[in-house]
Amino acid sequence: MTLRISAAQRVEIQRRRLQAQMPAAAKDMFENHEAEAQRYGAGPDDLLPHLRHFADEVVAVGLRDPELRARLMLLAFLKYPKPWPAFLELPIWQRIRHSPGQADDLFEDFCSRLKYLSQSGKADIEVWW
């Protein structure tokens, strides 16, 4: 007997798995980037609703690469005081949202350009990847 999972079921499984990682991500954010994380409240539980929204968004646009997801989370939550909707309104994110199946490629290209600008002193954020 073969178990068949629909595309919608796969997306839901992916979303739930990513959602399950958010408590650990919130804890890590408070341990490693306390000042930025405190913009959301006094502790990791205050950051969880924002991280859950993040998880829903990356699954919705099809960002699959775990490394790219981590970069996005750090960029959004460290650079912007409240990433939702600030980060979501950026032209690059709007392009990703409207380009089905291209999220990983488009965001990876954005990260490469951001790294180049950072290394040449032309970005207002320092990237490390």
Side-chain angles (χ1 to χ4, degrees):
M1 179 175 182
T2 303
L3 178 64
R4 297 200 187 268
I5 299 174
S6 71
Q9 290 169 320
R10 278 193 195 96
V11 168
E12 181 59 20
I13 290 168
Q14 183 182 33
R15 188 186 70 74
R16 287 182 186 210
R17 284 194 352 213
L18 192 55
Q19 288 280 354
Q21 297 170 4
M22 293 302 103
K27 184 177 180 226
D28 287 348
M29 192 75 78
F30 266 86
E31 288 176 359
N32 297 310
H33 306 283
E34 186 176 6
E36 292 87 352
Q38 285 182 344
R39 296 185 295 218
Y40 300 91
D45 288 344
D46 298 318
L47 184 55
L48 273 176
H50 302 282
L51 289 174
R52 287 188 177 121
H53 188 127
F54 161 81
D56 290 344
E57 179 69 16
V58 298
V59 170
V61 301
L63 190 64
R64 297 180 185 272
D65 185 308
E67 186 176 322
L68 293 175
R69 287 178 175 175
R71 288 179 187 176
L72 172 62
M73 184 169 59
L74 287 171
L75 280 173
F77 285 89
L78 298 180
K79 176 67 178 156
Y80 295 93
K82 297 282 184 178
W84 316 117
F87 195 86
L88 300 179
E89 293 172 355
L90 291 176
I92 182 60
W93 197 252
Q94 289 300 309
R95 183 171 174 218
I96 289 169
R97 284 179 130 191
H98 295 97
S99 303
Q102 298 180 38
D104 283 355
D105 291 338
L106 291 172
F107 191 67
E108 186 170 26
D109 181 59
F110 171 76
C111 289
S112 295
R113 286 183 283 133
L114 187 58
K115 181 178 181 178
Y116 170 78
L117 291 171
S118 175
Q119 290 175 338
S120 61
K122 297 177 182 175
D124 63 349
I125 186 171
E126 184 178 336
V127 296
W128 52 93
W129 53 77

